[in-house]
C-alpha cells in the first residue's frame, strides 16, 4: 500500500490532529512530501520547546479574524497600483529593465562609495566584480560615515558600535579569534609593504 499522505483539502482544520498534515490546493487531493513526513516528529515530541505551538489556536494568531482560509483571492483584472515616484538615484541591475515599482530611497549612492556602486552595476550579477565592488563600497561607506560624523562634531564610538564590549562579556573566545586574525592580516600587510619599499 502506498504510504504517501493524501491531503484532504476541502477545509483547513485548526488545532486538531488533521492539522499535522500537509496542505496543498484546497480543491485537490494531493500527496505532499511523503518522504519528509516519514521523518517528521510528532507534536508530543516537540512540546519541550518553550513557546512551541503557541499559534496553533486561531484565537492566538494576530491575523485572526482578518486571516482568511483559503487566502483572499486577488482578481486578475485588478488594476495595477501606481509605481512609487522616483526622486533619488536608484541603481538597477543591467539584467532587468527599469526600476521596480517599490524601491528604497533612504541611502542613494553618493561619494566614493556611490561611484564604486555605479561601477559595480555596470557588470552583471553573475560577474564576481559586481559583488566585490559592492562589498568594497560598503566598507568605504563606513569610513565615509565616520568622516561625516567628525565633520558634524560627533565623535563616533567605534568600539561600542562594533559590539566589542558585548563580545568581551559574552564571547571572549570569538573576540580573541577576531583580534588574532586582524593581527595576522595587519602583520602580513606591513611585511608586504616593507618588502616593497626595500625593493625600490
Amino acid at each position: 500500500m502506498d504510504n504517501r499522505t493524501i491531503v484532504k483539502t476541502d477545509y483547513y482544520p485548526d488545532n486538531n490532529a488533521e492539522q499535522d498534515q500537509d496542505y496543498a490546493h484546497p480543491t485537490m487531493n494531493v500527496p505532499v512530501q511523503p518522504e519528509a513526513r516519514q521523518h517528521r516528529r510528532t507534536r508530543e515530541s516537540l512540546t519541550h520547546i518553550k513557546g512551541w505551538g503557541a499559534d496553533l489556536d486561531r484565537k492566538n494568531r494576530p491575523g485572526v479574524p482578518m486571516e482568511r482560509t483559503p487566502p483572499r483571492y486577488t482578481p486578475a483584472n485588478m488594476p495595477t497600483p501606481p509605481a512609487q515616484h522616483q526622486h533619488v538615484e536608484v541603481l538597477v541591475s543591467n539584467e532587468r529593465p527599469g526600476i521596480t515599482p517599490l524601491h528604497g530611497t533612504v541611502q542613494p549612492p553618493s561619494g566614493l562609495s556611490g561611484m564604486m556602486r555605479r561601477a559595480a552595476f555596470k557588470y552583471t550579477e553573475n560577474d564576481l566584480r559586481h559583488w566585490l565592488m559592492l562589498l568594497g563600497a560598503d566598507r568605504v561607506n563606513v569610513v565615509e560615515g565616520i568622516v561625516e560624523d567628525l565633520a558634524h562634531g560627533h565623535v563616533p564610538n567605534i568600539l561600542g558600535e562594533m559590539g566589542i564590549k558585548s563580545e568581551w562579556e559574552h564571547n571572549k573566545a570569538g573576540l580573541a579569534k577576531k583580534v588574532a586574525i586582524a593581527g595576522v592580516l595587519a602583520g602580513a600587510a606591513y611585511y608586504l609593504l616593507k618588502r616593497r619599499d626595500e625593493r625600490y
Side-chain angles (χ1 to χ4, degrees):
M1 180 178 174
D2 190 351
N3 61 356
R4 295 181 299 176
T5 299
I6 302 300
V7 178
K8 299 178 180 178
T9 53
D10 53 344
Y11 63 99
Y12 286 78
D14 288 294
N15 202 20
N16 59 45
E18 294 289 330
Q19 196 173 26
D20 285 339
Q21 295 186 1
D22 298 303
Y23 295 97
H25 193 276
T27 60
M28 302 172 62
N29 288 339
V30 182
V32 180
Q33 298 182 325
E35 296 82 10
R37 284 192 51 76
Q38 291 177 356
H39 304 289
R40 180 174 296 174
R41 291 190 285 179
T42 63
R43 284 186 180 185
E44 291 72 21
S45 66
L46 297 171
T47 53
H48 67 282
I49 300 174
K50 186 178 181 180
W52 186 90
D55 60 346
L56 286 180
D57 194 338
R58 285 180 60 85
K59 69 175 183 291
N60 293 332
R61 298 179 187 174
V64 174
M66 297 177 64
E67 183 181 64
R68 291 172 51 125
T69 304
R72 188 182 302 275
Y73 171 69
T74 304
N77 59 355
M78 182 177 177
T80 304
Q84 177 182 349
H85 176 65
Q86 180 186 357
H87 58 85
V88 296
E89 180 183 3
V90 178
L91 297 176
V92 181
S93 170
N94 57 11
E95 299 173 7
R96 292 188 294 272
I99 62 175
T100 55
L102 290 176
H103 49 267
T105 59
V106 177
Q107 291 182 317
S110 62
L112 178 59
S113 62
M115 295 171 62
M116 295 174 67
R117 290 190 174 109
R118 292 187 193 99
F121 274 86
K122 293 179 180 177
Y123 299 99
T124 60
E125 294 179 2
N126 64 346
D127 192 320
L128 185 60
R129 290 173 290 184
H130 174 84
W131 300 108
L132 290 177
M133 294 176 78
L134 288 179
L135 288 172
D138 287 345
R139 273 58 182 177
V140 170
N141 199 202
V142 171
V143 178
E144 290 175 337
I146 294 173
V147 173
E148 186 178 355
D149 283 347
L150 293 174
H152 288 84
H154 172 70
V155 179
N157 181 8
I158 298 176
L159 295 180
E161 292 174 0
M162 292 177 66
I164 299 297
K165 184 178 179 182
S166 296
E167 286 265 13
W168 178 252
E169 290 179 0
H170 304 289
N171 187 21
K172 291 180 181 176
L175 178 61
K177 185 178 179 181
K178 292 177 183 176
V179 171
I181 293 174
V184 170
L185 292 176
Y190 175 76
Y191 171 76
L192 292 174
L193 290 173
K194 186 178 179 182
R195 186 178 173 188
R196 188 191 65 176
D197 292 341
E198 290 175 352
R199 284 186 179 177
Y200 303 103

